[in-house]
Amino acid sequence: MKVLELKNIYKDYKLENKEKFTALEDINISFDKGELVSIVGESGSGKSTLMNLIGGLDSDYTGELKISGSDLKNFKQKELDDYRKKKIGFVFQSFNLIPHLSVLDNVTIGLTLSNVKESIKTKKATELLEKLGLKDQIKKKPTQLSGGQKQRVAIARALINDPDIILADEPTGALDSTTTEQILEILKEIADDGKLVIMVTHSEKVAKISSRVVEISDGKIISDSLNPDYKKIEKEKHLALDNVEDKKAKEGHLSLFSAFKLSLHNMWASKIKNFLMALGVSISLISMILMLSFGAGLTSYISDQAASFSDPKIATITKAGGGSITNPKTFTEEEIDKIADDINIYLDNKGNDFKVVTKAEDEYDYNLKYGFNTLAGIGDASAVKITYTPESTGEEGEEIKPITSGVFYVYTTPPSYTEKNLITKNGHLCGRGEIMLSSAASKALNIDNLEDIVGKQVEIDIKHQNINLPAPLTVTISSIVDASMFSNMLVMYIDYDYLKEITANNADAPTLAPTTLYILTDDIKTTNLINDFIASRPDLSDSLEDKLVRMFDEMLDTFSTALAVIAGISLVVALIMILVVLYMSVSERTREIGVLKSIGARKRDIKQIFSTESFLVGVLSGITGIIFTLIIGGILTIVFNSILGFSPLCMKWYYFLEAILISVIISVLAGLYPSAKAARLDPVESLRHE
Ligand code: ADP
Ligand code: MG
């Protein structure tokens, strides 16, 4: 039985407008083992077309193409892949080595596609390369080799699976005459080893050394002659491998591990491009993680702050509407009495027997207390001033300058404040003749060590529309308070009754009326009921702090939404970017894909190589993103801590996990189309690709 038989082979190329071009016409020929066949003919006569048919790269023909008796037309896809992988070895004019793989890896690629063990692969390839005189070139990259060396590597690659047929399309076309002779020598040895070698050539000289010359013209065989002078060299097998034992391993396919290795090699070959892409993708990941961290940090900061000044057993009431923070509305005595009555009726209806008692009703056992809170400085920086005169150190020539600072916020000490809210070891909550300051206000008076100012005297001068002191008043600082969300603002705390007392001395100013009412309940249920009552009354509202919290929450929502939109858009941009880069990578590597297919790579293998690459791009981008986020987050934390005294950035470990996941998901999604495209590429066209 002949190794290869072609009967009535016709091949048409479909052109545009449904026209056809007949490239092969009625080809009838057969070949035997051990033949070294030269196919000659003018350019365009159909030689490569014939080689592609024999090589199983092109199945679009009519006629019979029999390999050891079985018709290629009856082969299933898997059998066809196996045929290319094990029965055929391709050698090309332009070598078609894979540039990013070493000589060794180029040779073993055919075995890698069969999942042969690493040690066996290396052993076989090294043996072959040694026989081909490439012992010292094993670790080099193809670009570091001469033409003849490259072609010998390509021959080693073709031989690695011990195929029956070697197809060489103008193998010496790109080589000089000395190298040509070496390559021909090798091909002759291969044939003499008992394989069928079919090579396409233009050269008379090349044709002369072969055992048989077939001439093609316009797709037809016009002559077929044996060379009577051809002599086989009957040596023991030269190039055939001795250790062809592991037939079992040959049944395997490209493993995930090998796909990873191939992808890594390729990514490393274009590392700058890949790094830049990862950097681009990581920007969206950075913005995503920072957005989440800010959201979490600010939310927890605000709720911490809210918790520090609220007491679940105190209900706080202010006037709604115009009762803004800058100009709060005050309550009259009548209004307060009415509200107390209304609450009592409300509670009674709800079956709660708590009673709101005003000071007017019971001077000793009242539970409704007054407060006055306003943003003092807004619109008039001189509204509330504190002046501190440092003590003399006794040094000669010392100039003592009083330090004056405006205050932002005047705050009567709410009943929820206790000694716990004081941050200095010495001191107490302020009473008559005393005030307390926030730490920021103390610092504004040039006091670095907060303990130092406790017990010191300062002058306060208030010229506010609701509070108006006739003259600056000397008071003592009783302590430093740092428990409210205003701790970073300039705040002066004062006792309500004392504030009322000092403003009463001024005949021109209105008598102080409360802006805030505190009801001290005996349980949280009652507080909640009173809060329900406040919510049901359009003219009333809860505390200024709650208003501030709500305002911050709204700002935070807007801020988070804006950041989420930005992060979302940048993720889409990242996805498109990966898609473009991978798509371009497929175009760049078209030839490589053709080579892999000619070696026997299945569609699935090609797809796997490319999707593994997109997966790795995702992991790489994720890691880059995390590294940069940690750096940027670290810097931001330091900056925030030094400016605000706290950092609103709260990074959770699972944000990083989410970022890696998202990065991998978008990369894999982006890789779907390019890898499908790579898998679908036609091997013949890919190999013709320039
Ligand atoms: P050779 O290798 O002998 O130079 P080919 O086998 O490459 O010739 O091509 C044979 C003929 O088929 C040429 O005329 C070429 O233009 C034509 N041909 C090759 N590939 C295609 C194709 N994909 N579509 C149309 N015509 C093609
Ligand atoms: Mg050709």
Side-chain angles (χ1 to χ4, degrees):
M1 190 172 23
K2 303 272 185 182
V3 183
L4 182 62
E5 265 183 287
L6 286 80
K7 277 190 193 158
N8 311 324
I9 296 281
Y10 285 80
K11 164 73 193 174
D12 292 332
Y13 283 114
K14 286 173 191 68
L15 304 176
E16 281 162 46
N17 325 324
K18 298 201 170 170
E19 279 180 53
K20 288 190 294 187
F21 174 81
T22 304
L24 292 176
E25 210 177 323
D26 199 21
I27 302 286
N28 288 285
I29 194 166
S30 55
F31 304 96
D32 244 336
K33 278 182 179 178
E35 281 190 298
L36 176 61
V37 186
S38 278
I39 307 227
V40 295
E42 279 171 19
S43 178
S45 54
K47 306 180 296 293
S48 295
T49 304
L50 183 65
M51 299 290 261
N52 291 335
L53 292 192
I54 298 172
L57 293 178
D58 186 354
S59 306
D60 182 24
Y61 61 88
T62 61
E64 277 177 48
L65 208 164
K66 287 185 171 171
I67 306 295
S68 307
S70 37
D71 193 345
L72 217 57
K73 272 262 147 66
N74 299 330
F75 280 24
K76 297 194 189 80
Q77 186 60 46
K78 183 190 169 326
E79 290 168 313
L80 206 59
D81 289 333
D82 272 358
Y83 168 71
R84 283 203 305 269
K85 205 190 280 185
K86 293 167 197 167
K87 299 277 186 227
I88 299 284
F90 266 102
V91 177
F92 305 92
Q93 176 178 359
S94 50
F95 324 122
N96 281 341
L97 299 175
I98 298 172
H100 56 84
L101 295 181
S102 69
V103 165
L104 185 74
D105 289 339
N106 261 287
V107 175
T108 54
I109 184 86
L111 299 175
T112 304
L113 291 172
S114 299
N115 197 22
V116 174
K117 254 172 55 186
E118 198 69 38
S119 56
I120 297 176
K121 279 199 304 197
T122 314
K123 186 163 178 261
K124 278 189 173 182
T126 316
E127 194 182 321
L128 255 180
L129 286 165
E130 274 176 21
K131 283 181 177 171
L132 289 165
L134 291 166
K135 195 180 175 196
D136 300 328
Q137 321 296 329
I138 284 178
K139 285 188 179 139
K140 286 189 180 169
K141 286 276 159 72
T143 44
Q144 297 165 311
L145 301 178
S146 72
Q149 287 173 325
K150 281 186 203 171
Q151 199 57 301
R152 277 183 278 160
V153 174
I155 290 172
R157 177 177 66 187
L159 285 174
I160 196 79
N161 263 328
D162 193 29
D164 298 336
I165 305 169
I166 295 286
L167 299 174
D169 196 345
E170 302 192 37
T172 59
L175 304 174
D176 59 49
S177 57
T178 332
T179 331
T180 297
E181 269 169 37
Q182 290 170 2
I183 295 296
L184 288 177
E185 187 75 10
I186 294 167
L187 290 173
K188 181 169 159 41
E189 273 183 39
I190 297 170
D192 293 349
D193 278 350
K195 295 187 194 302
L196 167 60
V197 178
I198 305 176
M199 64 175 163
V200 167
T201 184
H202 269 112
S203 151
E204 290 276 310
K205 221 170 119 192
V206 172
K208 268 194 189 121
I209 67 117
S210 44
S211 69
R212 182 177 171 188
V213 179
V214 177
E215 195 180 348
I216 298 188
S217 176
D218 287 337
K220 281 178 273 213
I221 295 176
I222 55 166
S223 78
D224 181 357
S225 55
L226 291 173
N227 179 358
D229 301 331
Y230 188 81
K231 286 226 164 39
K232 275 196 180 184
I233 319 162
E234 292 293 350
K235 286 194 218 163
E236 32 183 301
K237 294 194 170 186
H238 296 97
L239 288 166
L241 291 163
D242 317 321
N243 51 347
V244 241
E245 74 292 331
D246 53 61
K247 288 280 172 202
K248 230 182 195 171
K250 279 193 169 184
E251 301 309 313
H253 292 299
L254 179 71
S255 68
L256 200 59
F257 177 72
S258 301
F260 262 94
K261 256 179 69 178
L262 283 174
S263 305
L264 275 175
H265 268 296
N266 181 59
M267 284 174 72
W268 184 250
S270 36
K271 44 190 172 302
I272 297 191
K273 180 186 83 180
N274 281 308
F275 176 71
L276 288 177
M277 172 168 64
L279 199 63
V281 178
S282 69
I283 289 172
S284 55
L285 299 176
I286 294 168
S287 59
M288 195 194 80
I289 302 178
L290 288 183
M291 171 203 87
L292 290 170
S293 307
F294 266 119
L298 286 174
T299 307
S300 87
Y301 176 73
I302 289 171
S303 61
D304 274 3
Q305 295 295 330
S308 75
F309 58 68
S310 72
D311 178 335
K313 284 192 193 167
I314 297 177
T316 309
I317 307 175
T318 60
K319 276 198 169 177
S324 67
I325 327 170
T326 45
N327 185 21
K329 279 185 184 167
T330 54
F331 291 100
T332 63
E333 296 296 330
E334 295 77 43
E335 281 169 339
I336 296 168
D337 288 343
K338 181 78 173 60
I339 289 167
D341 287 347
D342 289 349
I343 293 174
N344 287 335
I345 294 167
Y346 185 86
L347 290 176
D348 198 37
N349 283 341
K350 296 280 174 189
N352 185 310
D353 53 14
F354 180 83
K355 282 272 167 298
V356 178
V357 182
T358 64
K359 199 173 183 176
E361 284 169 341
D362 185 336
E363 184 155 2
Y364 300 101
D365 225 4
Y366 63 99
N367 54 26
L368 187 147
K369 300 197 172 190
Y370 295 173
F372 184 92
N373 308 310
T374 184
L375 270 174
I378 300 273
D380 181 5
S382 66
V384 178
K385 281 191 285 191
I386 301 181
T387 306
Y388 173 59
T389 311
E391 278 162 39
S392 166
T393 54
E395 270 176 54
E396 220 175 298
E398 186 193 19
E399 213 185 322
I400 298 172
K401 275 194 201 147
I403 304 154
T404 301
S405 167
V407 162
F408 215 50
Y409 198 82
V410 173
Y411 200 115
T412 61
T413 321
S416 58
Y417 276 28
T418 65
E419 305 285 326
K420 279 188 214 137
N421 296 76
L422 308 180
I423 54 162
T424 45
K425 279 189 224 90
N426 49 350
H428 53 267
L429 286 171
C430 57
R432 284 195 75 246
E434 294 173 329
I435 60 164
M436 299 185 290
L437 293 178
S438 66
S439 56
S442 315
K443 283 179 186 137
L445 290 174
N446 261 2
I447 313 295
D448 287 330
N449 186 358
L450 297 180
E451 315 277 339
D452 284 355
I453 201 171
V454 177
K456 298 282 154 58
Q457 292 195 327
V458 292
E459 273 190 353
I460 55 170
D461 190 5
I462 309 179
K463 298 277 180 284
H464 184 264
Q465 57 194 17
N466 294 84
I467 342 157
N468 201 329
L469 292 191
L473 192 77
T474 302
V475 291
T476 306
I477 294 183
S478 77
S479 188
I480 308 299
V481 180
D482 216 352
S484 84
M485 63 195 308
F486 314 116
S487 52
N488 296 302
M489 299 183 187
L490 308 174
V491 190
M492 181 185 92
Y493 297 84
I494 192 164
D495 177 69
Y496 182 84
D497 290 336
Y498 178 56
L499 182 65
K500 182 159 174 132
E501 193 183 308
I502 56 178
T503 49
N505 296 336
N506 189 0
D508 304 335
T511 34
L512 188 74
T515 63
T516 312
L517 307 174
Y518 302 99
I519 299 169
L520 282 55
T521 68
D522 42 18
D523 63 7
I524 300 166
K525 269 189 204 150
T526 311
T527 315
N528 288 342
L529 276 176
I530 296 175
N531 283 336
D532 291 346
F533 165 82
I534 299 167
S536 75
R537 285 277 296 256
D539 59 328
L540 299 179
S541 180
D542 46 14
S543 72
L544 289 171
E545 292 86 340
D546 288 334
K547 281 181 194 160
L548 268 183
V549 168
R550 275 202 300 276
M551 193 177 80
F552 278 129
D553 274 347
E554 277 164 25
M555 273 161 54
L556 199 62
D557 274 353
T558 321
F559 177 69
S560 308
T561 315
L563 280 178
V565 169
I566 294 168
I569 292 172
S570 61
L571 283 176
V572 172
V573 173
L575 188 134
I576 294 170
M577 187 169 62
I578 300 174
L579 189 101
V580 169
V581 173
L582 289 176
Y583 189 85
M584 274 163 45
S585 163
V586 170
S587 310
E588 272 169 27
R589 292 160 71 190
T590 301
R591 236 164 196 280
E592 181 184 327
I593 294 164
V595 174
L596 287 172
K597 286 198 167 169
S598 76
I599 290 173
R602 303 168 302 164
K603 279 185 179 171
R604 221 198 282 175
D605 299 331
I606 303 282
K607 208 176 201 163
Q608 192 170 53
I609 293 172
F610 278 86
S611 31
T612 309
E613 199 164 318
S614 60
F615 172 82
L616 286 173
V617 163
V619 173
L620 181 70
S621 310
I623 292 172
T624 316
I626 285 174
I627 292 173
F628 278 99
T629 309
L630 286 173
I631 296 172
I632 295 173
I635 295 173
L636 284 179
T637 305
I638 294 169
V639 169
F640 280 128
N641 272 327
S642 71
I643 294 177
L644 299 177
F646 77 101
S647 172
L649 210 57
C650 175
M651 295 196 201
K652 305 253 166 67
W653 62 269
Y654 53 81
Y655 296 161
F656 294 98
L657 203 70
E658 280 168 19
I660 288 252
L661 261 176
I662 288 181
S663 167
V664 167
I665 289 170
I666 64 167
S667 305
V668 169
L669 278 180
L672 285 180
Y673 177 64
S675 31
K677 186 187 149 74
R680 271 202 312 270
L681 282 180
D682 178 61
V684 177
E685 275 171 33
S686 315
L687 287 169
R688 283 185 198 263
H689 187 86
E690 289 310 318

